[in-house]
Amino acid sequence: MKKVLVICGPTATGKTKLAIYLIKALSLDKRDLLGEIISVDSRQVYQKMDIGTGKDLPLGAKFTYPEDSLKKKKIGCYQISGVKIWGYDLVSPKEDFSVATYLRKTVPIIKNILSRDKMPVLVGGSGLYLKSLVDGILNVLVPRDNNLRRWLSDLSVSELFEKLAQLDSKKAASLNLSDRKNPRRLVRAIEVAQWRARNLGKKVSLVLPWDKDSDFLFIGLMAPLPVLKNRIKKRVIERLRVGFKKEVLELLRDGIDWSFHSMDTLGYKNIKNYLLGKMNKKEMIEDWVGDEFAYARRQMTWFKKDKRIIWFDISKGEWLKEVEKTVKNWYYS
C-alpha cells in the first residue's frame, strides 16, 4: 500500500517547514530520506518569483535535475535540508498557467517518486490544485479558448449566464447564486460547454498516479484569525526585508510586465502602486496584509469542506508533538 501525506491549510502556517520536519522524523535520521515534497501552489510554479511566492529557499540553493526521465521534460527540484522539493519553477512568468498544466507537470513527478519507493508529500494551500491532483476534477483538461474568452469579455454577467444556459442548461441550473454572478466561472463553464459541443464523444482525461489502495493522510494547519493575521504581517515585512522589491524590479527589467498573469499575484500586485508612486510603503504593507488575510480566510472556507483533514492549531504549545504522533502512527501502522 502506497502512503501519501498531504499537508494543507491557509497561508503563513508553516506547511513546508512542517513537511521537512516530518520527513526527517519518519526517516529516523537516516541519510536516505523516505519522502519528497511536491508543492501544491499555483504561484510557486513560476521561475524567478521566489521571495514573493514564499519558496523560502536557502542562500545559494540550486535548481537541479536528479532524475533523467524528468530532466527530459525540463522538470527539476530544489533541496532544503536534504529534502527534495518538486513543483517550483515549472514555467516562465511570461507563460499562462492552469490546473491542467499543473497536472501535466506534477503527475510524472509523483509517478517517478513512487517508482523509487518514496512517499509523495503534497504541500500547499491551493485548494483547487490539490483536489485536482488527489481526486481529479471533471473537465479540468479542457483547453482554454483565448478567442472565445476575448469575445466573452464584452458580455455582462447576465449575458454570460444566458449564453451558458443556451449551451448547457443543466450546468446553468446547477450553479449557486455566487457562481451565477462570477464572470470568471461563467466564462470557464461556457468554454467547457462549447468544447464539449464541438467534440461530441471525445474524452479528455489524465490518469492520476494513485492506486485504488493508496493510503492518504490529510494534515491541516490553522490558527485563530488574530494569530494568523499577525503571522501574515510578520512574513510580509520579512519578505520586504530580504529583497522582494529588488526581485520585482528584476522581473520588470526582464520584460515581465504588469499585464502578465503571473504578476497578478499577492505581493506582486500589491507592490505595483508603491513602485508607481501611488501609495507609500506603510499603505502598501497594509494593502498586502489585508489581501493575504482575506485569501487565508477563503482558503479555510475551501479546506473546511474536506472532512478527511485532521486539523492542528499551530498556536497551541503541543501541536507539533501531536502532529508527529499522528503521522508516525499512520505511517508505521
Side-chain angles (χ1 to χ4, degrees):
M1 182 182 292
K2 301 288 187 180
K3 300 275 188 178
V4 185
L5 178 60
V6 178
I7 301 176
C8 59
T11 187
T13 48
K15 296 180 289 295
T16 302
K17 185 177 179 180
L18 174 64
I20 292 170
Y21 174 84
L22 290 174
I23 288 172
K24 291 196 161 190
L26 289 172
S27 303
L28 304 176
D29 295 324
K30 295 178 182 177
R31 292 186 64 184
D32 186 21
L33 300 179
L34 57 79
E36 298 179 12
I37 294 171
I38 302 95
S39 168
V40 188
D41 188 291
S42 63
R43 290 300 185 258
Q44 291 178 342
V45 299
Y46 291 114
Q47 300 155 3
K48 302 179 182 179
M49 299 178 72
D50 300 336
I51 298 173
T53 62
K55 294 175 188 172
D56 296 330
L57 298 171
L59 190 65
K62 293 184 178 180
F63 192 76
T64 61
Y65 299 93
E67 299 298 319
D68 288 340
S69 63
L70 296 175
K71 184 177 182 180
K72 294 175 183 177
K73 302 176 185 290
K74 297 182 179 179
I75 297 174
C77 68
Y78 288 98
Q79 287 196 41
I80 298 180
S81 300
V83 177
K84 291 177 182 175
I85 301 184
W86 303 88
Y88 291 172
D89 296 7
L90 295 177
V91 295
S92 162
K94 294 182 180 180
E95 297 180 48
D96 280 338
F97 199 84
S98 65
V99 178
T101 312
Y102 178 77
L103 288 176
R104 292 190 181 101
K105 295 279 188 178
T106 53
V107 166
I109 294 171
I110 293 169
K111 288 181 177 179
N112 180 275
I113 292 171
L114 291 171
S115 73
R116 293 183 279 110
D117 294 323
K118 302 291 185 181
M119 177 177 66
V121 183
L122 312 181
V123 181
S126 294
L128 182 63
Y129 281 53
L130 181 60
K131 181 173 177 59
S132 68
L133 186 56
V134 172
D135 303 315
I137 296 178
L138 188 66
N139 297 319
V140 74
L141 295 183
V142 171
R144 289 168 59 99
D145 185 334
N146 291 325
N147 289 330
L148 174 64
R149 288 185 175 225
R150 279 192 289 271
W151 179 71
L152 293 174
S153 67
D154 293 329
L155 302 185
S156 66
V157 169
S158 60
E159 288 171 328
L160 288 171
F161 182 76
E162 181 62 29
K163 179 69 175 175
L164 176 61
Q166 293 170 3
L167 288 167
D168 188 340
S169 58
K170 282 188 176 181
K171 178 64 177 179
S174 72
L175 296 180
N176 59 35
L177 185 60
S178 175
D179 286 346
R180 291 185 183 200
K181 295 181 179 180
N182 188 319
R184 182 176 57 82
R185 292 186 179 179
L186 288 171
V187 166
R188 178 57 180 169
I190 292 169
E191 190 173 56
V192 169
Q194 189 146 305
W195 185 91
R196 292 175 66 185
R198 291 174 175 173
N199 296 273
L200 290 175
K202 184 177 179 181
K203 294 182 178 180
V204 55
S205 62
L206 179 71
V207 178
L208 295 175
W210 321 115
D211 294 330
K212 289 183 179 180
D213 62 348
S214 294
D215 184 11
F216 285 84
L217 176 67
F218 289 76
I219 298 295
L221 300 185
M222 53 82 71
L225 293 179
V227 174
L228 189 59
K229 189 169 187 177
N230 187 51
R231 289 175 66 93
I232 288 171
K233 185 172 184 178
K234 286 182 177 179
R235 192 176 67 168
V236 165
I237 292 171
E238 176 63 13
R239 288 181 180 178
L240 289 166
R241 187 190 70 80
V242 298
F244 178 58
K245 178 181 176 181
K246 180 182 177 183
E247 177 176 278
V248 175
L249 291 175
E250 288 177 352
L251 288 167
L252 294 171
R253 280 196 293 269
D254 288 343
I256 316 297
D257 64 45
W258 301 112
S259 66
F260 285 108
H261 179 64
S262 59
M263 296 294 271
D264 187 30
T265 296
L266 290 175
Y268 297 88
K269 67 179 182 180
N270 298 99
I271 203 173
K272 176 182 177 180
N273 284 331
Y274 170 64
L275 294 176
L276 294 175
K278 296 181 179 180
M279 63 171 55
N280 60 38
K281 187 174 181 180
K282 182 180 178 182
E283 291 171 331
M284 181 265 292
I285 290 173
E286 290 176 354
D287 186 57
W288 186 355
V289 171
D291 282 354
E292 288 271 6
F293 184 56
Y295 175 56
R297 297 185 71 164
R298 292 196 300 273
Q299 288 175 299
M300 282 302 303
T301 299
W302 174 284
F303 286 120
K304 282 292 186 180
K305 297 175 184 177
D306 193 332
K307 302 306 178 184
R308 295 171 294 186
I309 301 173
I310 303 170
W311 289 99
F312 294 88
D313 184 344
I314 62 171
S315 69
K316 294 184 177 180
E318 298 295 311
W319 76 271
L320 183 57
K321 288 184 179 179
E322 291 299 317
V323 171
E324 185 174 349
K325 179 181 177 182
T326 300
V327 173
K328 282 184 172 179
N329 286 341
W330 163 77
Y331 186 80
Y332 290 112
S333 65

PDB file of all heavy atoms in Angstrom, residues 275-293:
ATOM      1  N   LEU A 275       5.529  51.093  -6.276  1.00  0.00           N
ATOM      2  CA  LEU A 275       6.601  51.371  -7.236  1.00  0.00           C
ATOM      3  C   LEU A 275       6.212  52.486  -8.199  1.00  0.00           C
ATOM      4  O   LEU A 275       7.079  53.214  -8.689  1.00  0.00           O
ATOM      5  CB  LEU A 275       6.950  50.096  -8.013  1.00  0.00           C
ATOM      6  CG  LEU A 275       7.575  48.954  -7.192  1.00  0.00           C
ATOM      7  CD1 LEU A 275       7.780  47.725  -8.061  1.00  0.00           C
ATOM      8  CD2 LEU A 275       8.896  49.391  -6.576  1.00  0.00           C
ATOM      9  N   LEU A 276       4.920  52.612  -8.451  1.00  0.00           N
ATOM     10  CA  LEU A 276       4.437  53.678  -9.345  1.00  0.00           C
ATOM     11  C   LEU A 276       4.224  55.002  -8.606  1.00  0.00           C
ATOM     12  O   LEU A 276       3.800  55.986  -9.206  1.00  0.00           O
ATOM     13  CB  LEU A 276       3.137  53.243 -10.019  1.00  0.00           C
ATOM     14  CG  LEU A 276       3.238  52.057 -10.990  1.00  0.00           C
ATOM     15  CD1 LEU A 276       1.858  51.664 -11.499  1.00  0.00           C
ATOM     16  CD2 LEU A 276       4.165  52.375 -12.150  1.00  0.00           C
ATOM     17  N   GLY A 277       4.514  55.006  -7.293  1.00  0.00           N
ATOM     18  CA  GLY A 277       4.392  56.227  -6.517  1.00  0.00           C
ATOM     19  C   GLY A 277       2.980  56.592  -6.130  1.00  0.00           C
ATOM     20  O   GLY A 277       2.699  57.734  -5.731  1.00  0.00           O
ATOM     21  N   LYS A 278       2.055  55.618  -6.207  1.00  0.00           N
ATOM     22  CA  LYS A 278       0.655  55.903  -5.906  1.00  0.00           C
ATOM     23  C   LYS A 278       0.301  55.624  -4.449  1.00  0.00           C
ATOM     24  O   LYS A 278      -0.816  55.939  -4.016  1.00  0.00           O
ATOM     25  CB  LYS A 278      -0.254  55.097  -6.832  1.00  0.00           C
ATOM     26  CG  LYS A 278      -0.118  55.479  -8.303  1.00  0.00           C
ATOM     27  CD  LYS A 278      -1.061  54.672  -9.176  1.00  0.00           C
ATOM     28  CE  LYS A 278      -0.939  55.082 -10.638  1.00  0.00           C
ATOM     29  NZ  LYS A 278      -1.859  54.289 -11.509  1.00  0.00           N
ATOM     30  N   MET A 279       1.197  55.002  -3.698  1.00  0.00           N
ATOM     31  CA  MET A 279       0.989  54.800  -2.271  1.00  0.00           C
ATOM     32  C   MET A 279       2.340  54.686  -1.588  1.00  0.00           C
ATOM     33  O   MET A 279       3.345  54.355  -2.239  1.00  0.00           O
ATOM     34  CB  MET A 279       0.124  53.563  -1.984  1.00  0.00           C
ATOM     35  CG  MET A 279       0.703  52.233  -2.411  1.00  0.00           C
ATOM     36  SD  MET A 279      -0.244  50.784  -1.816  1.00  0.00           S
ATOM     37  CE  MET A 279      -1.889  51.106  -2.410  1.00  0.00           C
ATOM     38  N   ASN A 280       2.374  54.991  -0.279  1.00  0.00           N
ATOM     39  CA  ASN A 280       3.642  54.880   0.440  1.00  0.00           C
ATOM     40  C   ASN A 280       3.838  53.460   0.951  1.00  0.00           C
ATOM     41  O   ASN A 280       2.956  52.602   0.803  1.00  0.00           O
ATOM     42  CB  ASN A 280       3.712  55.904   1.583  1.00  0.00           C
ATOM     43  CG  ASN A 280       2.605  55.719   2.618  1.00  0.00           C
ATOM     44  OD1 ASN A 280       2.233  54.601   2.956  1.00  0.00           O
ATOM     45  ND2 ASN A 280       2.072  56.830   3.127  1.00  0.00           N
ATOM     46  N   LYS A 281       4.989  53.224   1.556  1.00  0.00           N
ATOM     47  CA  LYS A 281       5.341  51.870   1.977  1.00  0.00           C
ATOM     48  C   LYS A 281       4.369  51.330   3.017  1.00  0.00           C
ATOM     49  O   LYS A 281       3.955  50.167   2.955  1.00  0.00           O
ATOM     50  CB  LYS A 281       6.769  51.845   2.516  1.00  0.00           C
ATOM     51  CG  LYS A 281       7.279  50.445   2.833  1.00  0.00           C
ATOM     52  CD  LYS A 281       8.743  50.474   3.231  1.00  0.00           C
ATOM     53  CE  LYS A 281       9.267  49.063   3.515  1.00  0.00           C
ATOM     54  NZ  LYS A 281      10.698  49.081   3.911  1.00  0.00           N
ATOM     55  N   LYS A 282       3.991  52.171   3.965  1.00  0.00           N
ATOM     56  CA  LYS A 282       3.068  51.726   5.015  1.00  0.00           C
ATOM     57  C   LYS A 282       1.728  51.326   4.412  1.00  0.00           C
ATOM     58  O   LYS A 282       1.145  50.294   4.780  1.00  0.00           O
ATOM     59  CB  LYS A 282       2.874  52.836   6.041  1.00  0.00           C
ATOM     60  CG  LYS A 282       1.964  52.446   7.196  1.00  0.00           C
ATOM     61  CD  LYS A 282       1.798  53.591   8.190  1.00  0.00           C
ATOM     62  CE  LYS A 282       0.851  53.187   9.317  1.00  0.00           C
ATOM     63  NZ  LYS A 282       0.636  54.297  10.283  1.00  0.00           N
ATOM     64  N   GLU A 283       1.226  52.114   3.476  1.00  0.00           N
ATOM     65  CA  GLU A 283      -0.045  51.798   2.824  1.00  0.00           C
ATOM     66  C   GLU A 283       0.062  50.503   2.028  1.00  0.00           C
ATOM     67  O   GLU A 283      -0.878  49.695   2.007  1.00  0.00           O
ATOM     68  CB  GLU A 283      -0.451  52.947   1.906  1.00  0.00           C
ATOM     69  CG  GLU A 283      -0.839  54.227   2.634  1.00  0.00           C
ATOM     70  CD  GLU A 283      -1.013  55.401   1.700  1.00  0.00           C
ATOM     71  OE1 GLU A 283      -0.338  55.427   0.639  1.00  0.00           O
ATOM     72  OE2 GLU A 283      -1.802  56.313   2.030  1.00  0.00           O
ATOM     73  N   MET A 284       1.200  50.322   1.365  1.00  0.00           N
ATOM     74  CA  MET A 284       1.408  49.107   0.584  1.00  0.00           C
ATOM     75  C   MET A 284       1.397  47.870   1.481  1.00  0.00           C
ATOM     76  O   MET A 284       0.785  46.846   1.152  1.00  0.00           O
ATOM     77  CB  MET A 284       2.724  49.199  -0.180  1.00  0.00           C
ATOM     78  CG  MET A 284       3.035  47.984  -1.049  1.00  0.00           C
ATOM     79  SD  MET A 284       4.094  46.783  -0.214  1.00  0.00           S
ATOM     80  CE  MET A 284       5.633  47.716  -0.131  1.00  0.00           C
ATOM     81  N   ILE A 285       2.066  47.948   2.633  1.00  0.00           N
ATOM     82  CA  ILE A 285       2.104  46.818   3.561  1.00  0.00           C
ATOM     83  C   ILE A 285       0.701  46.496   4.073  1.00  0.00           C
ATOM     84  O   ILE A 285       0.292  45.323   4.114  1.00  0.00           O
ATOM     85  CB  ILE A 285       3.065  47.118   4.735  1.00  0.00           C
ATOM     86  CG1 ILE A 285       4.515  47.129   4.232  1.00  0.00           C
ATOM     87  CG2 ILE A 285       2.899  46.088   5.852  1.00  0.00           C
ATOM     88  CD1 ILE A 285       5.531  47.571   5.271  1.00  0.00           C
ATOM     89  N   GLU A 286      -0.049  47.533   4.439  1.00  0.00           N
ATOM     90  CA  GLU A 286      -1.416  47.314   4.918  1.00  0.00           C
ATOM     91  C   GLU A 286      -2.285  46.677   3.838  1.00  0.00           C
ATOM     92  O   GLU A 286      -3.092  45.782   4.113  1.00  0.00           O
ATOM     93  CB  GLU A 286      -2.023  48.643   5.378  1.00  0.00           C
ATOM     94  CG  GLU A 286      -1.399  49.195   6.658  1.00  0.00           C
ATOM     95  CD  GLU A 286      -1.955  50.560   7.040  1.00  0.00           C
ATOM     96  OE1 GLU A 286      -2.745  51.120   6.240  1.00  0.00           O
ATOM     97  OE2 GLU A 286      -1.600  51.064   8.122  1.00  0.00           O
ATOM     98  N   ASP A 287      -2.115  47.132   2.615  1.00  0.00           N
ATOM     99  CA  ASP A 287      -2.861  46.594   1.482  1.00  0.00           C
ATOM    100  C   ASP A 287      -2.524  45.121   1.254  1.00  0.00           C
ATOM    101  O   ASP A 287      -3.405  44.272   1.075  1.00  0.00           O
ATOM    102  CB  ASP A 287      -2.530  47.418   0.230  1.00  0.00           C
ATOM    103  CG  ASP A 287      -3.378  47.018  -0.968  1.00  0.00           C
ATOM    104  OD1 ASP A 287      -4.613  47.064  -0.852  1.00  0.00           O
ATOM    105  OD2 ASP A 287      -2.796  46.678  -2.010  1.00  0.00           O
ATOM    106  N   TRP A 288      -1.237  44.810   1.301  1.00  0.00           N
ATOM    107  CA  TRP A 288      -0.755  43.445   1.086  1.00  0.00           C
ATOM    108  C   TRP A 288      -1.242  42.526   2.203  1.00  0.00           C
ATOM    109  O   TRP A 288      -1.778  41.435   1.934  1.00  0.00           O
ATOM    110  CB  TRP A 288       0.771  43.470   1.010  1.00  0.00           C
ATOM    111  CG  TRP A 288       1.426  42.169   0.655  1.00  0.00           C
ATOM    112  CD1 TRP A 288       0.831  40.949   0.476  1.00  0.00           C
ATOM    113  CD2 TRP A 288       2.819  41.950   0.437  1.00  0.00           C
ATOM    114  NE1 TRP A 288       1.764  39.991   0.165  1.00  0.00           N
ATOM    115  CE2 TRP A 288       2.984  40.582   0.133  1.00  0.00           C
ATOM    116  CE3 TRP A 288       3.938  42.797   0.475  1.00  0.00           C
ATOM    117  CZ2 TRP A 288       4.245  40.037  -0.125  1.00  0.00           C
ATOM    118  CZ3 TRP A 288       5.186  42.240   0.213  1.00  0.00           C
ATOM    119  CH2 TRP A 288       5.332  40.886  -0.083  1.00  0.00           C
ATOM    120  N   VAL A 289      -1.080  42.940   3.446  1.00  0.00           N
ATOM    121  CA  VAL A 289      -1.509  42.126   4.586  1.00  0.00           C
ATOM    122  C   VAL A 289      -3.013  41.877   4.519  1.00  0.00           C
ATOM    123  O   VAL A 289      -3.486  40.750   4.738  1.00  0.00           O
ATOM    124  CB  VAL A 289      -1.139  42.807   5.923  1.00  0.00           C
ATOM    125  CG1 VAL A 289      -1.790  42.067   7.098  1.00  0.00           C
ATOM    126  CG2 VAL A 289       0.378  42.832   6.100  1.00  0.00           C
ATOM    127  N   GLY A 290      -3.773  42.902   4.176  1.00  0.00           N
ATOM    128  CA  GLY A 290      -5.224  42.748   4.070  1.00  0.00           C
ATOM    129  C   GLY A 290      -5.623  41.735   3.013  1.00  0.00           C
ATOM    130  O   GLY A 290      -6.503  40.893   3.239  1.00  0.00           O
ATOM    131  N   ASP A 291      -4.969  41.794   1.867  1.00  0.00           N
ATOM    132  CA  ASP A 291      -5.277  40.847   0.788  1.00  0.00           C
ATOM    133  C   ASP A 291      -4.864  39.427   1.156  1.00  0.00           C
ATOM    134  O   ASP A 291      -5.576  38.460   0.855  1.00  0.00           O
ATOM    135  CB  ASP A 291      -4.577  41.277  -0.504  1.00  0.00           C
ATOM    136  CG  ASP A 291      -5.282  42.423  -1.199  1.00  0.00           C
ATOM    137  OD1 ASP A 291      -6.364  42.816  -0.742  1.00  0.00           O
ATOM    138  OD2 ASP A 291      -4.743  42.930  -2.208  1.00  0.00           O
ATOM    139  N   GLU A 292      -3.696  39.267   1.787  1.00  0.00           N
ATOM    140  CA  GLU A 292      -3.233  37.939   2.212  1.00  0.00           C
ATOM    141  C   GLU A 292      -4.195  37.345   3.252  1.00  0.00           C
ATOM    142  O   GLU A 292      -4.507  36.152   3.216  1.00  0.00           O
ATOM    143  CB  GLU A 292      -1.826  38.022   2.806  1.00  0.00           C
ATOM    144  CG  GLU A 292      -0.715  38.278   1.800  1.00  0.00           C
ATOM    145  CD  GLU A 292      -0.123  37.012   1.204  1.00  0.00           C
ATOM    146  OE1 GLU A 292      -0.657  35.910   1.481  1.00  0.00           O
ATOM    147  OE2 GLU A 292       0.868  37.117   0.463  1.00  0.00           O
ATOM    148  N   PHE A 293      -4.655  38.185   4.167  1.00  0.00           N
ATOM    149  CA  PHE A 293      -5.560  37.717   5.214  1.00  0.00           C
ATOM    150  C   PHE A 293      -6.905  37.288   4.616  1.00  0.00           C
ATOM    151  O   PHE A 293      -7.467  36.252   4.992  1.00  0.00           O
ATOM    152  CB  PHE A 293      -5.759  38.816   6.254  1.00  0.00           C
ATOM    153  CG  PHE A 293      -6.592  38.399   7.433  1.00  0.00           C
ATOM    154  CD1 PHE A 293      -6.232  37.300   8.196  1.00  0.00           C
ATOM    155  CD2 PHE A 293      -7.724  39.116   7.788  1.00  0.00           C
ATOM    156  CE1 PHE A 293      -6.990  36.907   9.295  1.00  0.00           C
ATOM    157  CE2 PHE A 293      -8.493  38.739   8.881  1.00  0.00           C
ATOM    158  CZ  PHE A 293      -8.126  37.628   9.632  1.00  0.00           C
TER     159      PHE A 293
END
